[in-house]
Amino acid sequence: MSKDGTPSISYLLDSNTPPKPVEIPVVEARIRDLVDKISELRRLEVELERHRAILSPVRRIPREVLGHVFTFLHPYEREEKVRDAVGRKGLLQLSLVCKLWRDATLVTHELWTGLQIKPRHTLESLKSVEAWLGQAGSLRRTLQYEGWNLRSGEASTNRSRQSCSCGNPNTWPRREPGPCLLATSVMPQLLTNGPRLDHLTLMCSSTVCFGEFLDAMDALRQENTAAGPRPWDTLRSLSVKFRSTNLQMDGQVGPTFVGHLERLPIVESLEVHIPSLFEDIDPSHLELNILPSLIERLTTLYVCCPWRGPQLLKLLQHCCNLETLTINFGASGNPLWNMDDHPLVQHYTASPLVLPKLRTLRTRMGRDLNLLYLLKAPQLVNFDIGMFRITKVSKDALLLPVANFLDQSGSSRNIRTFQLRACHIDAAGLFSIISNLTALTTLTLDDVKVEMDRLWKLFKGNDAALGLRLGGNELSFSRLEELEILQLPPGYQLDPIVEYIKERGPSLRFRLVTSYNIPEQRVMKEEDIRQALRFSQSGVQTSVIPYVKNLYYL
């Protein structure tokens, strides 16, 4: 018996003896007592965790720091930092977690600076768009209109069309002509009476849509002539991209291009994408009609014009303040093909067109670079060449134009960064270009097919010859800080590059960045490269990064 007079059941805990009838109520009472104590302990455990949470370091993170962490949420559409529908939803979900997270999103103005607009965003969306951009504070705002087409499920209830048929009478299935999706969207009102913008991207279905948009803005301005400058007029940067062009027949000159580009605002940075022409016409006489007063103010210009003709030269002759130029040749690959007799070509062949302030030159999708024979850039520092890789590039298509351009510009010893992309080239030809760029700090070979063994043997030989001529262990590129070998094609390995770096000795201090354009097979892993270079005490930092598709088109 226990002290309180109840039967003792301790012997039952250590045996299989069945309890007596008098002992059963005692066991049941003990079970209830233990259950109550366990419930109390669980309650106390929850209370303990709640008190510990008060002292949690996460709870004490300033909202500004938390907001900075949120900026690593990547909602970006293409290369522009704008939030599409998925990105907007993700940001709003973060703000609903708790009051601290909501405050963090609201004080982090960077989260609200970029916004993507679709044709489904009509005038009813104006207040929502203004409220969103208003959260950006004083930071520069970016707006993108993606009006090429509507994805399934995105059309608003009062619109059955999935794409704008402006300027395209051959749409199928055939429908009655409807209002322009761009002109009836929120964009005209936003660019007339909305908040100030820094950058705007217009991805228009056609040049007709662009004209309808401009007319809609002009009509709004006429309704309120006392208003101040429009956001459209105060843009710093503008990108206009067309999916199709509109040609009109002129009785005297034939088809003419109606792009409304003469109505562009005066900006510092301009990007224009003109699509190819499917009609069987000669585009050499077509005019882009961008005003010289705009071009003269530009510091950055990106132009994609796949037409054969002198259009690029007519633009460049006014680029007196241009610092960064990107030329995308598009489907043509060579706009000056069979244009030797054109007066403008002959003029600049005799006296190259000088771009006095140009520091960065990029080419994309070039089949040949004969345009470089006509240009001169004495202040060039960054040279980025992207070719149209189909067959091995010829000497006349790349090597001679580049060599002539650098020579007549006198900028070989000024070049700090050189990038070659999407190219199949002879090792000796590539070396002949690079070897003259003695001031290089960054060298990039991106999706370049070249005999790696032979190329780096040429570099070794050049180092040896330089050492004999000057004495000591002189190196060809003593200022080189970064070597990028990106999208290494199938069948090509990094071993020759690693061996070359090892043989240069410990005096070299730069970073090696590589990526493969091949499935998992026998490749040098990042740790393998680091281990190989560690023994040579080269001090080289190594990174093997993921493959990025079509990087050279950007």
Side-chain angles (χ1 to χ4, degrees):
M1 298 288 290
S2 62
K3 293 180 179 181
D4 57 1
T6 59
S8 175
I9 60 171
S10 58
Y11 76 96
L12 294 174
L13 299 175
D14 300 318
S15 69
N16 290 326
T17 304
K20 300 174 183 177
V22 69
E23 295 173 330
I24 292 177
V26 177
V27 174
E28 291 175 341
R30 182 59 177 162
I31 289 174
R32 287 193 298 271
D33 183 50
L34 290 174
V35 169
D36 291 341
K37 289 183 177 180
I38 291 173
S39 298
E40 178 65 15
L41 287 175
R42 287 174 176 169
R43 186 189 67 79
L44 292 175
E45 187 176 39
V46 172
E47 192 71 14
L48 174 64
E49 292 304 319
R50 293 181 65 190
H51 281 74
R52 283 176 174 171
I54 296 175
L55 301 179
S56 171
V58 175
R59 191 183 184 109
R60 288 175 283 176
I61 293 178
R63 61 182 185 177
E64 291 79 9
V65 175
L66 191 60
H68 179 69
V69 174
F70 292 162
T71 63
F72 291 93
L73 173 69
H74 294 291
Y76 304 145
E77 180 74 10
R78 296 181 173 88
E79 68 273 17
E80 293 186 351
K81 295 184 178 182
V82 295
R83 293 188 182 274
D84 57 11
V86 175
R88 294 193 296 272
K89 181 179 179 181
L91 179 56
L92 293 177
Q93 286 176 336
L94 284 178
S95 68
L96 294 175
V97 171
C98 63
K99 184 178 184 302
L100 175 62
W101 283 34
R102 175 176 171 77
D103 291 343
T105 59
L106 293 179
V107 300
T108 309
H109 299 313
E110 183 183 349
L111 296 170
W112 308 87
T113 56
L115 185 62
Q116 183 192 72
I117 298 294
K118 290 279 191 174
R120 63 185 175 87
H121 294 111
T122 57
L123 191 58
E124 291 78 12
S125 305
L126 181 61
K127 290 185 178 179
S128 298
V129 174
E130 289 180 330
W132 183 284
L133 294 176
Q135 295 295 333
S138 60
L139 297 182
R140 292 178 172 179
R141 304 177 180 92
T142 297
L143 187 66
Q144 181 193 86
Y145 174 81
E146 203 281 75
W148 285 351
N149 63 283
L150 298 174
R151 298 188 181 99
S152 59
E154 287 193 343
S156 57
T157 55
N158 62 340
R159 294 185 181 196
S160 59
R161 289 182 294 149
Q162 290 295 301
S163 63
C164 192
S165 58
C166 286
N168 186 7
N170 298 320
T171 54
W172 186 262
R174 298 187 183 279
R175 300 183 180 95
E176 290 296 324
C180 173
L181 294 182
L182 172 55
T184 56
S185 72
V186 71
M187 292 298 293
Q189 186 68 246
L190 200 58
L191 271 296
T192 303
N193 302 313
R196 188 184 182 95
L197 297 173
D198 179 70
H199 174 78
L200 171 67
T201 294
L202 284 175
M203 304 169 67
C204 306
S205 177
S206 72
T207 53
V208 177
C209 286
F210 186 53
E212 296 279 354
F213 162 73
L214 295 173
D215 291 341
M217 281 200 302
D218 290 343
L220 289 172
R221 170 45 57 97
Q222 291 175 4
E223 295 174 2
N224 188 7
T225 56
R230 301 176 298 181
W232 172 257
D233 300 318
T234 58
L235 287 170
R236 188 192 66 85
S237 176
L238 174 64
S239 175
V240 182
K241 306 177 183 181
F242 302 111
R243 188 175 63 175
S244 63
T245 60
N246 181 40
L247 299 179
Q248 291 183 355
M249 295 303 298
D250 187 301
Q252 296 180 345
V253 298
T256 59
F257 172 62
V258 183
H260 304 283
L261 299 181
E262 70 280 0
R263 301 167 67 181
L264 294 176
I266 302 297
V267 294
E268 298 175 14
S269 175
L270 177 64
E271 182 175 353
V272 177
H273 289 248
I274 307 296
S276 301
L277 296 173
F278 296 100
E279 293 86 351
D280 186 18
I281 64 170
D282 178 12
S284 60
H285 71 282
L286 299 179
E287 299 284 347
L288 294 179
N289 294 323
I290 302 178
L291 296 179
S293 58
L294 165 58
I295 302 174
E296 290 169 359
R297 291 280 301 275
L298 293 176
T299 58
T300 302
L301 174 62
Y302 183 118
V303 57
C304 175
C305 184
W307 301 347
R308 184 180 65 85
Q311 290 85 5
L312 289 175
L313 289 176
K314 291 181 179 180
L315 293 180
L316 296 179
Q317 63 185 351
H318 299 292
C319 293
C320 55
N321 290 301
L322 203 61
E323 298 177 5
T324 301
L325 171 63
T326 303
I327 301 175
N328 191 326
F329 298 106
S332 72
N334 176 18
L336 300 181
W337 179 79
N338 204 25
M339 295 287 295
D340 294 343
D341 295 333
H342 192 279
L344 209 56
V345 174
Q346 291 183 340
H347 173 72
Y348 289 123
T349 299
S351 178
L353 191 159
V354 180
L355 301 171
K357 298 183 180 181
L358 191 68
R359 296 181 62 82
T360 300
L361 174 61
R362 303 186 185 98
T363 69
R364 294 292 183 265
M365 304 290 286
R367 295 180 186 269
D368 69 54
L369 298 180
N370 289 338
L371 178 66
L372 295 182
Y373 282 115
L374 312 182
L375 303 181
K376 188 175 180 180
Q379 301 298 321
L380 193 67
V381 174
N382 309 303
F383 199 9
D384 186 342
I385 300 174
M387 301 299 290
F388 194 98
R389 180 168 59 81
I390 297 180
T391 58
K392 195 170 186 178
V393 69
S394 68
K395 184 177 182 181
D396 293 337
L398 174 61
L399 305 181
L400 294 180
V402 169
N404 183 81
F405 169 69
L406 293 174
D407 182 59
Q408 69 186 9
S409 297
S411 57
S412 293
R413 297 189 178 183
N414 299 331
I415 301 295
R416 297 293 185 269
T417 65
F418 178 77
Q419 293 95 17
L420 181 63
R421 310 176 192 272
C423 184
H424 185 187
I425 189 172
D426 178 73
L430 177 57
F431 177 74
S432 69
I433 298 176
I434 301 175
S435 59
N436 292 321
L437 308 179
T438 55
L440 274 184
T441 59
T442 300
L443 172 61
T444 301
L445 302 180
D446 184 357
D447 193 17
V448 174
K449 294 181 66 175
V450 63
E451 299 170 86
M452 290 293 181
D453 286 324
R454 188 181 176 199
L455 176 64
W456 302 108
K457 283 180 182 178
L458 291 171
F459 273 84
K460 293 177 187 178
N462 196 57
D463 287 346
L466 190 63
L468 289 174
R469 187 169 70 252
L470 301 179
N473 295 321
E474 296 292 333
L475 299 175
S476 302
F477 302 100
S478 58
R479 301 182 185 180
L480 195 64
E481 298 175 356
E482 186 159 335
L483 173 62
E484 297 181 321
I485 311 296
L486 306 177
Q487 302 188 71
L488 199 67
Y492 290 73
Q493 299 296 336
L494 290 170
D495 305 70
I497 303 168
V498 175
E499 289 301 316
Y500 170 66
I501 295 174
K502 288 168 58 178
E503 292 186 16
R504 285 176 66 105
S507 62
L508 187 61
R509 295 293 184 271
F510 68 78
R511 181 168 178 248
L512 173 64
V513 181
T514 68
S515 65
Y516 293 97
N517 185 10
I518 49 180
E520 192 69 24
Q521 47 179 283
R522 196 198 74 79
V523 297
M524 290 192 73
K525 304 297 172 94
E526 184 170 320
E527 185 55 36
D528 298 333
I529 299 173
R530 288 182 175 177
Q531 188 70 16
L533 295 175
R534 188 177 295 121
F535 289 117
S536 66
Q537 298 181 344
S538 65
V540 175
Q541 301 178 40
T542 302
S543 298
V544 178
I545 62 177
Y547 160 63
V548 180
K549 187 176 182 180
N550 293 337
L551 183 65
Y552 48 83
Y553 290 123
L554 300 180

